Amino acid sequence: MHSDGPNDLALVLGGGGARAAYQVGFLRALGGMFPHLEPPILTGVSAGAISAAFLANHPGPFGTAVQDLAKAWESLTVERVFDASSFSLSSHALRWGMRLVSGGAKVGPRTHGMVDTAPLRAYLCDVLGTRDGTLPGVAANLASGRLRALAITTTRYSTNQSVTWVQSSGFADWSRPNRRSAACTLTVDHVMASSALPVFFPAIRLEDGWHGDGGIRLTAPLSPALHLGAERLIAISTRFAHANRMPDPPPDDDYPPPATVIGVLLSSVFLDMLDQDAMNMQRLNAYLRELPPEKREGLRLAGLLLLRPSQDIGKLASQHEPALPGTFRFLMRGMGTREAKSPDSLSMVLFQPDYMRALIEIGERDAWKRKDEIEAFIAGEDRPAIAQTGFWRI
């Protein structure tokens, strides 16, 4: 096997629904820079689990795999993610309404989500090349040594616990408060469970119960890669970090619409934890550098490269909203997406080809602008200036 990269490198792919297309653009640029790179550790949560599973299951080299991944994301539509027909959306809304006003009485079939995601499962089986939901390519890549581990995180609703499902060539189980690992043979169902957006998508039944989006309880999104032995981590955020360099906006006069409130909740799940975990990692590394190795109690230094969008991809969603299917567009507007200044809730469900392509192009362009820093990081060089260019080198 020929690889341009280190054997301790991990790709950490977080959530954000449709916003994860930005990560795909970065990966496509990375494949252009390093076509023979074989990241041995892949971790994914929510929409990032789709990309992680795709790369781990792909039979070809990294450069080819990311090109195919981009094609799969570019061809996504709302109809391929959930049933967007007027009948399906209306019936789900009606069932939820009846459940709310019935006081819990069984007045009809139970609804497991606001939408029916059967089309997404069918699409994933198609692009992953499986009929029964298994991912044989993962086992093949583990056997060949191209891959050391694939980890996908879900949330188990009955225990309020984050579960990281791992298929690997061997790893030590871990357990922390409210989060643990579980060895398994990963399937499309694990990917579906990890990407089951709270409120919108139905939970998925796995071997030990019902599971939903992995971002809900994953307070340390970098931890699975570290537990699996990564020494260097590349993580791609989909949050435009502008708060620290822009003046405070003027006071709000209007009451926030539901879309704004839901967007803040979803952002706290998918976007904020990565930043918090990166800051904790920075602090821990600074502490460990002051200690001799024999006093580090098994903790180790690790490098992190964190990339952010160069523009607010939430605001960009408003430009592509008119292309949504009519009924779904009507429901989203009813939540106030046209009133929100940055409709983050809309950006997470805007599975439209034009929006996907726009995000992929932005991610690819942002990565190529930082080519020198990326090459330096993969080569293991110490480049403190990276912290001032949108990356955190820890």
Side-chain angles (χ1 to χ4, degrees):
M1 177 187 68
H2 173 65
S3 174
D4 289 338
N7 60 9
D8 59 2
L9 178 67
L11 292 181
V12 179
L13 304 178
R19 297 167 70 109
Y22 175 83
Q23 299 172 340
V24 177
F26 171 85
L27 293 174
R28 189 162 70 178
L30 190 64
M33 299 173 197
F34 302 96
H36 299 291
L37 180 70
E38 297 292 352
I41 301 170
L42 300 171
T43 71
V45 59
S46 192
I50 296 175
S51 297
F54 188 99
L55 295 177
N57 190 62
H58 198 282
F62 183 72
T64 303
V66 293
Q67 290 289 346
D68 291 343
L69 175 64
K71 292 176 183 177
W73 273 86
E74 287 175 338
S75 62
L76 265 181
T77 62
V78 168
E79 292 86 354
R80 283 178 166 170
V81 177
F82 55 86
D83 188 342
S85 66
S86 298
F87 174 79
S88 178
L89 293 174
S90 300
S91 62
H92 276 72
L94 179 61
R95 289 177 194 173
W96 274 108
M98 292 175 63
R99 183 177 179 87
L100 288 172
V101 301
S102 68
K106 294 182 179 180
V107 294
R110 177 174 293 182
T111 300
H112 289 172
M114 289 183 65
V115 296
D116 176 6
T117 55
L120 177 59
R121 192 182 196 285
Y123 185 69
L124 288 178
C125 287
D126 181 40
V127 298
L128 292 171
T130 178
R131 292 185 177 180
D132 59 2
T134 61
L135 304 174
V138 175
N141 287 328
L142 287 169
S144 70
R146 292 176 55 190
L147 182 68
R148 279 172 48 193
L150 169 64
I152 291 175
T153 301
T154 65
T155 299
R156 186 180 179 190
Y157 283 127
S158 63
T159 61
N160 200 23
Q161 189 179 45
S162 177
V163 182
T164 297
W165 305 88
V166 181
Q167 186 171 349
S168 73
S169 53
F171 79 102
D173 292 349
W174 70 85
S175 179
R176 298 291 185 271
N178 296 318
R179 54 188 173 95
R180 65 178 176 85
S181 65
C184 73
T185 299
L186 289 164
T187 67
V188 169
D189 281 339
H190 292 91
V191 179
M192 287 286 295
S194 183
S195 55
L197 277 169
V199 180
F200 291 101
F201 295 175
I204 302 296
R205 186 173 183 85
L206 300 179
E207 58 193 63
D208 62 349
W210 292 95
H211 288 249
D213 199 293
I216 300 174
R217 292 291 294 163
L218 186 59
T219 56
L222 302 174
S223 63
L226 294 171
H227 280 297
L228 293 169
E231 300 283 345
R232 272 170 278 187
L233 293 75
I234 296 178
I236 311 115
S237 173
T238 59
R239 172 184 284 283
F240 173 54
H242 63 290
N244 294 332
R245 59 176 184 267
M246 294 183 67
D248 290 337
D252 295 324
D253 294 325
D254 297 327
Y255 191 82
T260 296
V261 177
I262 293 175
V264 171
L265 291 174
L266 293 179
S267 293
S268 70
V269 170
F270 299 117
L271 309 181
D272 296 346
M273 287 298 100
L274 181 58
D275 291 344
Q276 185 67 36
D277 203 21
M279 184 174 66
N280 290 338
M281 187 174 172
Q282 184 180 31
R283 290 172 174 170
L284 181 58
N285 277 339
Y287 172 71
L288 292 176
R289 289 191 182 97
E290 301 298 320
L291 293 177
E294 65 272 13
K295 293 186 177 182
R296 293 176 179 173
E297 300 183 357
L299 298 174
R300 66 184 191 280
L301 292 164
L304 172 66
L305 193 62
L306 179 60
L307 177 72
R308 304 173 185 279
S310 58
Q311 64 186 86
D312 189 337
I313 58 179
K315 288 184 177 179
L316 182 65
S318 298
Q319 301 175 21
H320 301 274
E321 181 259 5
L324 284 171
T327 302
F328 184 62
R329 183 177 66 246
F330 177 81
L331 293 174
M332 294 302 294
R333 288 180 177 178
M335 293 171 56
T337 54
R338 305 190 84 181
E339 305 165 44
K341 295 179 180 178
S342 182
D344 288 337
S345 57
L346 173 65
S347 70
M348 294 183 186
V349 295
L350 191 61
F351 295 97
Q352 286 295 105
D354 53 350
Y355 186 57
M356 300 290 97
R357 286 192 292 269
L359 297 190
I360 290 172
E361 290 171 2
I362 294 171
E364 191 169 20
R365 185 167 59 248
D366 287 352
W368 279 107
K369 287 180 180 178
R370 302 292 184 253
K371 181 175 182 289
D372 290 345
E373 290 95 332
I374 295 171
E375 290 178 339
F377 180 83
I378 291 180
E381 297 179 18
D382 190 7
R383 300 274 290 272
I386 291 177
Q388 301 173 9
T389 61
F391 293 105
W392 291 352
R393 175 71 160 91
I394 298 175

